[in-house]
Amino acid sequence: MKYFSKKLSLAASTAFGCVALFGCSSSDSNNAASTTGMTSVESAVDVCGDYTAYEDGLGNTYCIDKTTGAVIYSVLVDGSIVYTTLEESSAASSDASSTDGGTSSASTASNAVCGETTNPTSIVGDLYFYSDASGSYYYNITDASCTKVYLTVASSSSAAEVTSSETLATSSATATSSTTGVTTSSSSIASTGSTPVVTFSTSGVSVENNNNCVEIDGSVVKILCAGIYYFSGTSNDGQIMVTASTEDKVYLYLNGLTLTSSDAPIYSQSSDKTFIVAVSGTINTLQDGNSRTNVYSYTKDGETKTDTTGAVIYAKDDLTIKGSGTLNVTGNYNNGIHTTKDLKIKYDDEFGGAPTITVTTKNHALKGKNSVAIDGGTLTLTTSEGDGIKSDEDDATELAEGKGYIEITGGKITVNSGDKGIKASNYILIDDSVSVPTLTVVASGDSAKALKADSSIYIYAGTLNLTSKKDDGIHANANVYLEGGTVTVSALDDGVHADNNLYLNGATVNVTTSTEAFEGVYIYANAGITAVYGTDDGWNAAGGSKNEGASASTGNSWGGNMGGGAISTSVGYIVITGGYHYISVSGNDVDVLDANGTATQTGGVLILEILSRSGSSSGNLGGSGWGGGTGSGSCSTNQAGGLIDTDNGYTITGGVLLGFGSQTEEYPSCTATSYTNSNYYGSSSAAFKPQGSGSMIIYGGSVTSVSVVDVSSMTAVNFPNGLTYYYK
């Protein structure tokens, strides 16, 4: 519903006959009304400006700030206008609170009324205002029964004196179906201001309170202009089509709607933004057919376009889904919910929270070509062939402007996808806002990463459980930033892969299974707690071009040294400055810490372990025992890899290093001490109990010798895989 943008200023207030208008006399206000030649209803619609005008059915109108729910000013049935206290005048505020019929802010209310648990948003005389998911309402405290009086949006049609120049006009798009032959001609549509209620049934479609913007064409309901529209009932072949002006915001309230269509049940062809609201307490079900026959031809922004719907909910402009009700979507043709612009799923207090959405579809469950942003809701997304959540902007200009991203900042999301779990042509960001996100992804396709970004991936918060049955858990074509949150990964290939740099900056990460757990040209370990397991490399720094330096990636040189002694085809570097990191591998020809360049440690805790396939002993891993390694102590080295394998050396000047195994290419210090999984080993300041048994322990940093340690007086740090490191 659009209202005329005439914000009230102090100067505008004087036109009504009062300067401050706090407790203006009835005669003053009536004179103001008569001077301007407006009825009280007309004044409410016109002067509410950017605020929303509501009526109580008794002739009183209230201009409400929808963001705060506060009454800014009121137009009473007798024509008087009462204003809420202006922040600029504390003296006027005091006068207002003591004036009969005055309005005060919620902060002046000391007690809630009528069983409410919070202060009112505003007080107007005896009226105490509140809001909930159903809208704004008030109690009259002189009413002993505490009747809750809900407000309705004020109707401009009730003001006969509104001039034609003030009539809200919108141009509808022209829509022609080549199969049905239905045409909606372009015309100026004037909304009457009513809130239409559309009901689908087996016998047809009915409309109450038609605002001159609802057109029925068989079982197709066309929305022609801005406003709020309610939908309920059941139809086996119905459709809601939005063909409004490109300046119009259209709100579709689903209030217990079951809609099956041979096409798209909801098709937003033209608007500025379309909002779908799942009304609190309702279940809404949408399902499309398994094919398409309709081709829509229409004019939009002066251009002739043709279109075939590609989803159950299909939009050509920005699409936002909110409300605290339930929305079930079944896609038999292609996608579940799809817009060619920005897709948002929102938490909104005004609507009682966030929606519960279940999408089961053939291809992509959620797709916003420009972007996808989710900050709340309970989402269950299942696809047989496509991605769970996708943004695939491919226009170079749009990408340069930042489009093509996916942001998840709240909600509980479960994805079971036939292809990638979450895929963005730009970046993926996971953080918290109104809630901490919980994300569970199982990706099953042949090249199905759980998270895949053509740019970078940023994880700042949340609880993530990511599974890729045939590929990488997390994969970015640029950088991966693990800044916070708890991340668990199970992958057939790489656990976490960055084509450029991988940053461990504070997240808790557990890679339970992988081929190579962490992989990047540079691996920067600065903070956080990580525990990883791989069957080839634990950490693998590789992929940088030897010709161009480590900042560039060849994109095809991954895989490390293939077991140690082979000549590397790329470069990579590991830099450890902080955090707690446990790295384990098992199998033949494996490396725990592998860098196709250098590895340096100036801080942090690094625990390395080679396990047998059963996890009970380290074995000799099939190594050749070639000589030539470096280090001090009674241990032999080889060039077949093992605990540490670098091309240009590992150095440690701070922090803690403990490594358990029977094979390494290099080490700072080493003891040929047999160990078991029954004891803690290290020094009085750092100790760890390995998972298996073996014959060699390497060490460095603050650990200057190794023995069995009593940890009873030490402080524990728990790794996410259940192992514990102790320090003092």
Side-chain angles (χ1 to χ4, degrees), residues 406-428:
I406 295 173
E407 294 185 353
I408 298 172
T409 57
K412 180 180 180 180
I413 304 170
T414 302
V415 176
N416 285 279
S417 61
D419 201 357
K420 299 172 184 66
I422 299 175
K423 167 66 170 69
S425 58
N426 198 331
Y427 68 85
I428 296 173

Side-chain angles (χ1 to χ4, degrees), residues 356-519:
T356 298
I357 300 174
T358 299
V359 179
T360 303
T361 191
K362 180 179 179 181
N363 203 10
H364 311 311
L366 303 179
K367 179 179 175 182
K369 187 175 181 66
N370 278 175
S371 69
V372 178
I374 302 168
D375 71 5
T378 300
L379 281 60
T380 303
L381 312 175
T382 304
T383 74
S384 58
E385 299 177 9
D387 303 337
I389 304 173
K390 188 180 188 75
S391 180
D392 63 349
E393 182 58 66
D394 55 2
D395 180 84
T397 300
E398 296 277 11
L399 287 170
E401 293 175 351
K403 294 296 185 180
Y405 66 83
I406 295 173
E407 294 185 353
I408 298 172
T409 57
K412 180 180 180 180
I413 304 170
T414 302
V415 176
N416 285 279
S417 61
D419 201 357
K420 299 172 184 66
I422 299 175
K423 167 66 170 69
S425 58
N426 198 331
Y427 68 85
I428 296 173
L429 180 145
I430 300 174
D431 201 351
D432 57 5
S433 56
V434 295
S435 65
V436 178
T438 299
L439 179 61
T440 301
V441 177
V442 177
S444 301
D446 288 340
S447 60
K449 285 83 172 171
L451 301 185
K452 170 64 167 69
D454 292 349
S455 180
S456 293
I457 294 176
Y458 306 84
I459 299 175
Y460 288 94
T463 300
L464 285 66
N465 290 281
L466 309 174
T467 299
S468 175
K469 293 184 177 181
K470 297 183 180 180
D471 210 300
D472 299 345
I474 299 173
H475 186 114
N477 289 5
N479 302 325
V480 175
Y481 299 85
L482 300 177
E483 305 284 331
T486 300
V487 183
T488 302
V489 178
S490 172
L492 181 68
D493 198 358
D494 297 345
V496 181
H497 175 107
D499 277 6
N500 293 336
N501 302 332
L502 169 58
Y503 296 90
L504 308 176
N505 287 341
T508 297
V509 184
N510 186 16
V511 178
T512 60
T513 184
S514 68
T515 300
E516 294 174 325
F518 287 165
E519 189 165 59

Side-chain angles (χ1 to χ4, degrees), residues 520-590:
V521 176
Y522 269 93
I523 299 176
Y524 292 100
N526 301 314
I529 303 176
T530 70
V532 303
Y533 168 76
T535 57
D536 186 359
D537 294 340
W539 291 11
N540 181 36
S545 170
K546 283 193 170 183
N547 295 326
E548 299 179 18
S551 62
S553 171
T554 63
N556 59 1
S557 301
W558 301 103
N561 283 353
M562 297 301 293
I567 298 175
S568 303
T569 59
S570 67
V571 295
Y573 304 88
I574 296 173
V575 179
I576 305 164
T577 64
Y580 299 86
H581 310 285
Y582 171 78
I583 312 171
S584 65
V585 298
S586 68
N588 294 321
D589 296 329
V590 296

Side-chain angles (χ1 to χ4, degrees), residues 126-156:
D126 294 329
L127 308 183
Y128 282 56
F129 286 80
Y130 291 88
S131 63
D132 60 16
S134 299
S136 295
Y137 59 94
Y138 68 74
Y139 300 102
N140 189 325
I141 59 171
T142 64
D143 176 12
S145 62
C146 279
T147 303
K148 183 185 291 187
V149 180
Y150 276 95
L151 307 178
T152 58
V153 177
S155 170
S156 60

Side-chain angles (χ1 to χ4, degrees), residues 609 615-616 675-681 689-694:
E609 185 171 6
S616 60
Y675 63 86
T676 69
N677 57 8
S678 299
N679 297 312
Y680 285 88
Y681 298 87
K689 181 168 67 175
Q691 293 190 69
S693 58

Side-chain angles (χ1 to χ4, degrees), residues 200-205 234:
F200 287 88
S201 68
T202 55
S203 59
V205 183
T234 301

Side-chain angles (χ1 to χ4, degrees), residues 143-452:
D143 176 12
S145 62
C146 279
T147 303
K148 183 185 291 187
V149 180
Y150 276 95
L151 307 178
T152 58
V153 177
S155 170
S156 60
S157 64
S158 60
E161 291 82 1
V162 174
T163 63
S164 59
S165 64
E166 291 177 316
T167 301
L168 176 62
T170 61
S171 298
S172 66
T174 299
T176 304
S177 168
S178 63
T179 57
T180 62
V182 176
T183 303
T184 302
S185 299
S186 177
S187 60
S188 291
I189 309 297
S191 170
T192 67
S194 301
T195 301
V197 177
V198 180
T199 303
F200 287 88
S201 68
T202 55
S203 59
V205 183
S206 63
V207 183
E208 297 179 19
N209 305 323
N210 196 335
N211 63 347
N212 201 29
C213 293
V214 179
E215 181 180 294
I216 306 299
D217 184 2
S219 59
V220 177
V221 177
K222 295 182 179 178
I223 306 302
L224 308 180
C225 49
I228 295 174
Y229 304 84
Y230 279 82
F231 298 88
S232 62
T234 301
S235 176
N236 291 326
D237 195 12
Q239 185 182 58
I240 301 167
M241 181 187 295
V242 177
T243 60
S245 163
T246 55
E247 296 180 353
D248 285 349
K249 293 177 174 60
V250 177
Y251 291 79
L252 309 178
Y253 281 69
L254 308 187
N255 192 31
L257 176 66
T258 299
L259 200 58
T260 300
S261 176
S262 56
D263 203 89
I266 297 180
Y267 174 29
S268 182
Q269 189 180 85
S270 177
S271 69
D272 174 33
K273 300 178 187 294
T274 295
F275 299 82
I276 295 176
V277 180
V279 175
S280 178
T282 68
I283 298 175
N284 305 278
T285 302
L286 306 175
Q287 182 173 196
D288 70 351
N290 57 16
S291 63
R292 293 291 190 268
T293 57
N294 290 348
V295 178
Y296 300 91
S297 299
Y298 58 100
T299 301
K300 185 175 182 180
D301 295 328
E303 297 182 14
T304 300
K305 300 178 179 291
T306 59
D307 198 21
T308 300
T309 62
V312 180
I313 299 175
Y314 188 70
K316 303 299 290 183
D317 299 290
D318 291 348
L319 177 65
T320 298
I321 301 175
K322 58 174 62 178
S324 56
T326 297
L327 176 60
N328 298 320
V329 174
T330 301
N332 298 305
Y333 174 64
N334 189 36
N335 297 334
I337 301 172
H338 177 177
T339 177
T340 58
K341 298 295 185 180
D342 297 327
L343 174 61
K344 297 179 180 179
I345 297 175
K346 299 287 292 180
Y347 178 97
D348 193 329
D349 279 331
E350 182 180 352
F351 296 93
T356 298
I357 300 174
T358 299
V359 179
T360 303
T361 191
K362 180 179 179 181
N363 203 10
H364 311 311
L366 303 179
K367 179 179 175 182
K369 187 175 181 66
N370 278 175
S371 69
V372 178
I374 302 168
D375 71 5
T378 300
L379 281 60
T380 303
L381 312 175
T382 304
T383 74
S384 58
E385 299 177 9
D387 303 337
I389 304 173
K390 188 180 188 75
S391 180
D392 63 349
E393 182 58 66
D394 55 2
D395 180 84
T397 300
E398 296 277 11
L399 287 170
E401 293 175 351
K403 294 296 185 180
Y405 66 83
I406 295 173
E407 294 185 353
I408 298 172
T409 57
K412 180 180 180 180
I413 304 170
T414 302
V415 176
N416 285 279
S417 61
D419 201 357
K420 299 172 184 66
I422 299 175
K423 167 66 170 69
S425 58
N426 198 331
Y427 68 85
I428 296 173
L429 180 145
I430 300 174
D431 201 351
D432 57 5
S433 56
V434 295
S435 65
V436 178
T438 299
L439 179 61
T440 301
V441 177
V442 177
S444 301
D446 288 340
S447 60
K449 285 83 172 171
L451 301 185
K452 170 64 167 69

